Short mmCIF file of all heavy atoms in Angstrom, two decimals:
data_model
loop_
_atom_site.label_atom_id
_atom_site.label_comp_id
_atom_site.label_asym_id
_atom_site.label_seq_id
_atom_site.Cartn_x
_atom_site.Cartn_y
_atom_site.Cartn_z
N TYR E 366 27.39 54.20 11.88
CA TYR E 366 27.14 52.84 11.36
C TYR E 366 25.69 52.43 11.55
O TYR E 366 25.07 52.74 12.59
CB TYR E 366 28.06 51.86 12.08
CG TYR E 366 29.54 52.10 11.77
CD1 TYR E 366 30.32 52.87 12.63
CD2 TYR E 366 30.12 51.58 10.62
CE1 TYR E 366 31.66 53.13 12.36
CE2 TYR E 366 31.46 51.85 10.33
CZ TYR E 366 32.21 52.61 11.18
OH TYR E 366 33.54 52.88 10.90
N VAL E 367 25.15 51.74 10.54
CA VAL E 367 23.73 51.36 10.61
C VAL E 367 23.55 49.85 10.50
O VAL E 367 22.41 49.37 10.64
CB VAL E 367 22.91 52.05 9.49
CG1 VAL E 367 22.95 53.56 9.65
CG2 VAL E 367 23.40 51.62 8.10
N LYS E 368 24.62 49.10 10.24
CA LYS E 368 24.46 47.65 10.13
C LYS E 368 25.75 46.95 10.49
O LYS E 368 26.85 47.45 10.23
CB LYS E 368 24.08 47.25 8.68
CG LYS E 368 23.67 45.81 8.53
CD LYS E 368 23.11 45.50 7.14
CE LYS E 368 22.62 44.07 7.08
NZ LYS E 368 22.02 43.75 5.74
N SER E 369 25.61 45.80 11.13
CA SER E 369 26.77 44.95 11.48
C SER E 369 26.40 43.49 11.28
O SER E 369 25.21 43.14 11.24
CB SER E 369 27.15 45.18 12.96
OG SER E 369 26.14 44.71 13.82
N GLY E 370 27.39 42.66 11.10
CA GLY E 370 27.09 41.25 10.90
C GLY E 370 28.32 40.38 11.02
O GLY E 370 29.46 40.86 11.07
N ILE E 371 28.07 39.07 11.11
CA ILE E 371 29.17 38.10 11.15
C ILE E 371 28.83 36.92 10.25
O ILE E 371 27.64 36.65 10.00
CB ILE E 371 29.46 37.59 12.59
CG1 ILE E 371 28.25 36.87 13.17
CG2 ILE E 371 29.88 38.73 13.49
CD1 ILE E 371 28.30 35.37 13.16
N VAL E 372 29.84 36.26 9.75
CA VAL E 372 29.67 35.02 8.99
C VAL E 372 30.66 34.00 9.54
O VAL E 372 31.87 34.25 9.56
CB VAL E 372 29.93 35.23 7.47
CG1 VAL E 372 29.70 33.92 6.72
CG2 VAL E 372 29.05 36.31 6.91
N ILE E 373 30.16 32.88 10.00
CA ILE E 373 31.01 31.79 10.49
C ILE E 373 31.17 30.78 9.37
O ILE E 373 30.18 30.31 8.78
CB ILE E 373 30.38 31.12 11.75
CG1 ILE E 373 30.28 32.12 12.89
CG2 ILE E 373 31.18 29.90 12.17
CD1 ILE E 373 29.56 31.59 14.12
N THR E 374 32.43 30.44 9.07
CA THR E 374 32.70 29.51 7.96
C THR E 374 33.69 28.42 8.40
O THR E 374 34.07 28.37 9.59
CB THR E 374 33.27 30.27 6.76
OG1 THR E 374 34.39 31.05 7.17
CG2 THR E 374 32.24 31.17 6.13
N ASP E 375 34.10 27.60 7.43
CA ASP E 375 34.98 26.46 7.71
C ASP E 375 34.33 25.57 8.80
O ASP E 375 34.92 25.25 9.82
CB ASP E 375 36.37 26.90 8.17
CG ASP E 375 37.14 27.61 7.08
OD1 ASP E 375 36.83 27.33 5.91
OD2 ASP E 375 38.00 28.45 7.40
N ILE E 376 33.06 25.20 8.52
CA ILE E 376 32.25 24.46 9.48
C ILE E 376 32.34 22.95 9.16
O ILE E 376 32.33 22.54 8.02
CB ILE E 376 30.78 24.91 9.39
CG1 ILE E 376 30.69 26.41 9.74
CG2 ILE E 376 29.91 24.09 10.33
CD1 ILE E 376 29.29 26.99 9.55
N SER E 377 32.42 22.18 10.19
CA SER E 377 32.47 20.72 10.06
C SER E 377 31.73 20.06 11.24
O SER E 377 31.49 20.71 12.26
CB SER E 377 33.90 20.20 9.97
OG SER E 377 34.62 20.56 11.13
N GLU E 378 31.37 18.82 11.09
CA GLU E 378 30.73 18.09 12.15
C GLU E 378 31.68 17.89 13.30
O GLU E 378 32.86 17.59 13.13
CB GLU E 378 30.22 16.74 11.64
CG GLU E 378 29.38 15.98 12.64
CD GLU E 378 28.84 14.67 12.08
OE1 GLU E 378 29.03 14.44 10.86
OE2 GLU E 378 28.23 13.90 12.84
N LYS E 379 31.16 18.05 14.51
CA LYS E 379 32.00 17.89 15.70
C LYS E 379 32.58 16.48 15.73
O LYS E 379 31.86 15.50 15.60
CB LYS E 379 31.18 18.17 16.95
CG LYS E 379 32.00 18.18 18.24
CD LYS E 379 31.11 18.53 19.41
CE LYS E 379 31.93 18.57 20.71
NZ LYS E 379 31.07 18.93 21.86
N GLY E 380 33.89 16.39 15.95
CA GLY E 380 34.54 15.07 16.03
C GLY E 380 34.95 14.47 14.71
O GLY E 380 35.52 13.38 14.68
N SER E 381 34.69 15.20 13.60
CA SER E 381 35.00 14.62 12.30
C SER E 381 36.40 14.97 11.81
O SER E 381 36.90 14.40 10.85
CB SER E 381 33.98 15.11 11.26
OG SER E 381 34.07 16.51 11.10
N LEU E 382 37.06 15.96 12.45
CA LEU E 382 38.35 16.42 12.01
C LEU E 382 39.47 15.68 12.76
O LEU E 382 39.35 15.36 13.93
CB LEU E 382 38.51 17.93 12.26
CG LEU E 382 37.57 18.84 11.46
CD1 LEU E 382 37.83 20.28 11.82
CD2 LEU E 382 37.75 18.64 9.95
N GLN E 383 40.55 15.45 12.02
CA GLN E 383 41.76 14.84 12.61
C GLN E 383 42.50 15.87 13.45
O GLN E 383 42.84 16.94 12.94
CB GLN E 383 42.67 14.28 11.53
CG GLN E 383 43.98 13.72 12.05
CD GLN E 383 43.79 12.46 12.86
OE1 GLN E 383 43.13 11.52 12.41
NE2 GLN E 383 44.31 12.43 14.09
N GLU E 384 42.68 15.61 14.71
CA GLU E 384 43.38 16.55 15.59
C GLU E 384 44.90 16.50 15.32
O GLU E 384 45.42 15.52 14.83
CB GLU E 384 43.12 16.22 17.07
CG GLU E 384 41.66 16.30 17.44
CD GLU E 384 41.11 17.70 17.43
OE1 GLU E 384 41.93 18.64 17.51
OE2 GLU E 384 39.90 17.89 17.30
N ASP E 385 45.56 17.62 15.64
CA ASP E 385 47.01 17.71 15.51
C ASP E 385 47.65 16.70 16.47
O ASP E 385 47.44 16.73 17.69
CB ASP E 385 47.46 19.12 15.85
CG ASP E 385 48.95 19.34 15.57
OD1 ASP E 385 49.68 18.34 15.43
OD2 ASP E 385 49.37 20.50 15.48
N LEU E 386 48.47 15.81 15.92
CA LEU E 386 49.08 14.74 16.71
C LEU E 386 49.94 15.29 17.84
O LEU E 386 50.07 14.70 18.92
CB LEU E 386 49.91 13.82 15.80
CG LEU E 386 50.60 12.62 16.46
CD1 LEU E 386 49.55 11.69 17.04
CD2 LEU E 386 51.48 11.90 15.44
N PHE E 387 50.57 16.45 17.58
CA PHE E 387 51.53 16.99 18.56
C PHE E 387 50.95 18.16 19.36
O PHE E 387 51.67 18.80 20.11
CB PHE E 387 52.79 17.46 17.82
CG PHE E 387 53.45 16.37 17.03
CD1 PHE E 387 53.30 16.31 15.66
CD2 PHE E 387 54.19 15.38 17.66
CE1 PHE E 387 53.87 15.31 14.93
CE2 PHE E 387 54.78 14.38 16.94
CZ PHE E 387 54.63 14.31 15.55
N ALA E 388 49.67 18.41 19.19
CA ALA E 388 49.04 19.52 19.92
C ALA E 388 48.80 19.13 21.37
O ALA E 388 48.71 17.95 21.73
CB ALA E 388 47.72 19.89 19.28
N GLU E 389 48.74 20.13 22.24
CA GLU E 389 48.49 19.91 23.65
C GLU E 389 47.08 19.32 23.86
O GLU E 389 46.15 19.71 23.17
CB GLU E 389 48.62 21.25 24.39
CG GLU E 389 48.39 21.14 25.88
CD GLU E 389 48.48 22.49 26.56
OE1 GLU E 389 48.80 23.48 25.86
OE2 GLU E 389 48.18 22.56 27.77
N ASP E 390 46.98 18.40 24.77
CA ASP E 390 45.69 17.78 25.05
C ASP E 390 44.79 18.81 25.75
O ASP E 390 45.08 19.29 26.86
CB ASP E 390 45.91 16.58 25.97
CG ASP E 390 44.58 15.83 26.28
OD1 ASP E 390 43.57 16.17 25.61
OD2 ASP E 390 44.57 14.95 27.15
N THR E 391 43.68 19.17 25.08
CA THR E 391 42.76 20.16 25.62
C THR E 391 41.40 19.56 25.99
O THR E 391 40.43 20.28 26.15
CB THR E 391 42.55 21.29 24.59
OG1 THR E 391 41.96 20.73 23.39
CG2 THR E 391 43.87 21.98 24.26
N SER E 392 41.33 18.24 26.07
CA SER E 392 40.05 17.59 26.30
C SER E 392 39.39 18.04 27.58
O SER E 392 38.15 18.25 27.62
CB SER E 392 40.23 16.06 26.33
OG SER E 392 41.19 15.68 27.32
N GLU E 393 40.16 18.23 28.65
CA GLU E 393 39.59 18.66 29.91
C GLU E 393 39.02 20.07 29.77
O GLU E 393 37.91 20.37 30.28
CB GLU E 393 40.64 18.63 31.02
CG GLU E 393 40.08 19.01 32.41
CD GLU E 393 41.12 18.91 33.52
OE1 GLU E 393 42.22 18.37 33.25
OE2 GLU E 393 40.81 19.33 34.64
N HIS E 394 39.78 20.95 29.08
CA HIS E 394 39.29 22.31 28.88
C HIS E 394 38.03 22.33 28.02
O HIS E 394 37.08 23.09 28.27
CB HIS E 394 40.40 23.16 28.23
CG HIS E 394 39.96 24.53 27.85
ND1 HIS E 394 39.66 25.51 28.78
CD2 HIS E 394 39.74 25.10 26.62
CE1 HIS E 394 39.31 26.62 28.17
NE2 HIS E 394 39.33 26.40 26.85
N ASP E 395 38.01 21.46 27.00
CA ASP E 395 36.85 21.39 26.13
C ASP E 395 35.61 20.94 26.87
O ASP E 395 34.50 21.44 26.63
CB ASP E 395 37.10 20.41 24.97
CG ASP E 395 38.17 20.93 24.02
OD1 ASP E 395 38.42 22.15 24.02
OD2 ASP E 395 38.75 20.14 23.25
N GLU E 396 35.77 19.98 27.82
CA GLU E 396 34.63 19.53 28.61
C GLU E 396 34.10 20.66 29.49
O GLU E 396 32.88 20.83 29.61
CB GLU E 396 35.06 18.34 29.48
CG GLU E 396 35.34 17.09 28.71
CD GLU E 396 35.80 15.94 29.60
OE1 GLU E 396 35.83 16.14 30.84
OE2 GLU E 396 36.11 14.85 29.07
N LYS E 397 34.98 21.45 30.07
CA LYS E 397 34.52 22.59 30.88
C LYS E 397 33.82 23.62 30.02
O LYS E 397 32.83 24.21 30.43
CB LYS E 397 35.73 23.21 31.59
CG LYS E 397 36.35 22.34 32.69
CD LYS E 397 37.51 23.06 33.35
CE LYS E 397 38.13 22.20 34.46
NZ LYS E 397 39.27 22.89 35.12
N ARG E 398 34.33 23.83 28.83
CA ARG E 398 33.75 24.79 27.91
C ARG E 398 32.34 24.34 27.50
O ARG E 398 31.40 25.13 27.44
CB ARG E 398 34.64 24.94 26.69
CG ARG E 398 34.32 26.09 25.80
CD ARG E 398 35.49 26.43 24.89
NE ARG E 398 35.99 25.27 24.15
CZ ARG E 398 37.08 25.28 23.41
NH1 ARG E 398 37.81 26.38 23.34
NH2 ARG E 398 37.47 24.20 22.76
N ASP E 399 32.19 23.05 27.22
CA ASP E 399 30.88 22.51 26.85
C ASP E 399 29.91 22.62 28.03
O ASP E 399 28.72 22.92 27.83
CB ASP E 399 31.00 21.04 26.44
CG ASP E 399 31.65 20.88 25.07
OD1 ASP E 399 31.69 21.88 24.31
OD2 ASP E 399 32.14 19.77 24.77
N SER E 400 30.40 22.39 29.24
CA SER E 400 29.54 22.49 30.43
C SER E 400 29.06 23.93 30.61
O SER E 400 27.92 24.17 31.00
CB SER E 400 30.32 22.02 31.69
OG SER E 400 30.68 20.68 31.59
N LEU E 401 29.94 24.89 30.33
CA LEU E 401 29.55 26.30 30.44
C LEU E 401 28.46 26.63 29.43
O LEU E 401 27.46 27.27 29.80
CB LEU E 401 30.78 27.19 30.17
CG LEU E 401 30.49 28.71 30.05
CD1 LEU E 401 29.91 29.24 31.37
CD2 LEU E 401 31.76 29.47 29.68
N HIS E 402 28.59 26.17 28.21
CA HIS E 402 27.55 26.41 27.22
C HIS E 402 26.24 25.74 27.57
O HIS E 402 25.16 26.31 27.38
CB HIS E 402 28.02 25.94 25.83
CG HIS E 402 29.01 26.85 25.20
ND1 HIS E 402 30.38 26.67 25.33
CD2 HIS E 402 28.87 27.96 24.42
CE1 HIS E 402 31.00 27.63 24.66
NE2 HIS E 402 30.12 28.41 24.09
N ASP E 403 26.32 24.54 28.10
CA ASP E 403 25.12 23.84 28.54
C ASP E 403 24.41 24.62 29.62
O ASP E 403 23.16 24.69 29.65
CB ASP E 403 25.45 22.43 29.01
CG ASP E 403 25.91 21.51 27.90
OD1 ASP E 403 25.60 21.83 26.72
OD2 ASP E 403 26.54 20.48 28.20
N ALA E 404 25.19 25.20 30.56
CA ALA E 404 24.61 25.97 31.66
C ALA E 404 23.94 27.24 31.13
O ALA E 404 22.83 27.59 31.53
CB ALA E 404 25.68 26.35 32.68
N LEU E 405 24.59 27.91 30.15
CA LEU E 405 23.98 29.11 29.55
C LEU E 405 22.69 28.76 28.83
O LEU E 405 21.68 29.47 28.96
CB LEU E 405 24.97 29.74 28.57
CG LEU E 405 26.20 30.43 29.14
CD1 LEU E 405 27.14 30.87 28.03
CD2 LEU E 405 25.79 31.65 29.96
N ASP E 406 22.69 27.64 28.11
CA ASP E 406 21.50 27.21 27.40
C ASP E 406 20.35 26.92 28.37
O ASP E 406 19.21 27.31 28.11
CB ASP E 406 21.79 25.96 26.57
CG ASP E 406 22.73 26.23 25.40
OD1 ASP E 406 22.88 27.41 25.04
OD2 ASP E 406 23.28 25.26 24.84
N ALA E 407 20.69 26.28 29.48
CA ALA E 407 19.66 25.90 30.45
C ALA E 407 19.06 27.14 31.11
O ALA E 407 17.86 27.24 31.30
CB ALA E 407 20.29 24.98 31.52
N ILE E 408 19.91 28.13 31.47
CA ILE E 408 19.43 29.35 32.07
C ILE E 408 18.52 30.14 31.13
O ILE E 408 17.43 30.59 31.50
CB ILE E 408 20.61 30.23 32.54
CG1 ILE E 408 21.38 29.55 33.66
CG2 ILE E 408 20.13 31.60 32.98
CD1 ILE E 408 22.66 30.23 34.05
N ASN E 409 18.97 30.29 29.90
CA ASN E 409 18.18 31.04 28.90
C ASN E 409 16.91 30.34 28.54
O ASN E 409 15.89 30.95 28.25
CB ASN E 409 19.02 31.30 27.67
CG ASN E 409 20.09 32.35 27.90
OD1 ASN E 409 19.86 33.34 28.57
ND2 ASN E 409 21.29 32.13 27.37
N SER E 410 16.95 29.00 28.58
CA SER E 410 15.72 28.24 28.28
C SER E 410 14.69 28.40 29.40
O SER E 410 13.49 28.49 29.14
CB SER E 410 16.08 26.75 28.10
OG SER E 410 14.93 25.98 27.90
N LYS E 411 15.17 28.46 30.64
CA LYS E 411 14.26 28.54 31.78
C LYS E 411 13.76 29.94 32.04
O LYS E 411 12.56 30.15 32.33
CB LYS E 411 14.94 27.98 33.04
CG LYS E 411 14.04 27.94 34.26
CD LYS E 411 14.74 27.26 35.44
CE LYS E 411 13.81 27.20 36.63
NZ LYS E 411 14.44 26.52 37.79
N TYR E 412 14.64 30.92 31.92
CA TYR E 412 14.30 32.28 32.31
C TYR E 412 14.10 33.26 31.15
O TYR E 412 13.74 34.41 31.36
CB TYR E 412 15.36 32.83 33.25
CG TYR E 412 15.45 32.06 34.54
CD1 TYR E 412 16.50 31.18 34.77
CD2 TYR E 412 14.48 32.21 35.53
CE1 TYR E 412 16.60 30.45 35.94
CE2 TYR E 412 14.56 31.49 36.71
CZ TYR E 412 15.61 30.60 36.93
OH TYR E 412 15.71 29.88 38.09
N GLY E 413 14.32 32.80 29.94
CA GLY E 413 14.14 33.66 28.76
C GLY E 413 15.44 33.93 28.03
O GLY E 413 16.49 34.10 28.65
N ARG E 414 15.36 33.95 26.70
CA ARG E 414 16.53 34.16 25.87
C ARG E 414 17.19 35.49 26.18
O ARG E 414 16.54 36.52 26.34
CB ARG E 414 16.11 34.14 24.39
CG ARG E 414 17.30 34.20 23.43
CD ARG E 414 16.82 34.20 21.99
NE ARG E 414 16.02 35.37 21.70
CZ ARG E 414 15.50 35.62 20.52
NH1 ARG E 414 15.64 34.75 19.54
NH2 ARG E 414 14.79 36.75 20.33
N GLY E 415 18.52 35.47 26.32
CA GLY E 415 19.26 36.71 26.57
C GLY E 415 19.44 37.05 28.02
O GLY E 415 20.08 38.06 28.33
N VAL E 416 18.92 36.21 28.94
CA VAL E 416 19.12 36.47 30.37
C VAL E 416 20.59 36.34 30.75
O VAL E 416 21.14 37.16 31.48
CB VAL E 416 18.25 35.53 31.22
CG1 VAL E 416 18.61 35.64 32.70
CG2 VAL E 416 16.77 35.87 31.03
#
Side-chain angles (χ1 to χ4, degrees):
Y366 295 95
V367 299
K368 190 172 185 178
S369 66
I371 61 102
V372 181
I373 297 175
T374 53
D375 294 333
I376 300 173
S377 58
E378 186 177 354
K379 186 176 181 180
S381 65
L382 296 179
Q383 176 67 52
E384 299 292 338
D385 187 342
L386 181 63
F387 303 102
E389 180 182 355
D390 182 11
T391 61
S392 57
E393 183 177 350
H394 174 68
D395 292 341
E396 290 179 3
K397 291 181 179 179
R398 192 161 54 187
D399 288 342
S400 297
L401 172 62
H402 284 92
D403 290 341
L405 289 174
D406 291 344
I408 292 172
N409 287 319
S410 175
K411 184 174 182 179
Y412 297 104
R414 187 181 63 179
V416 170

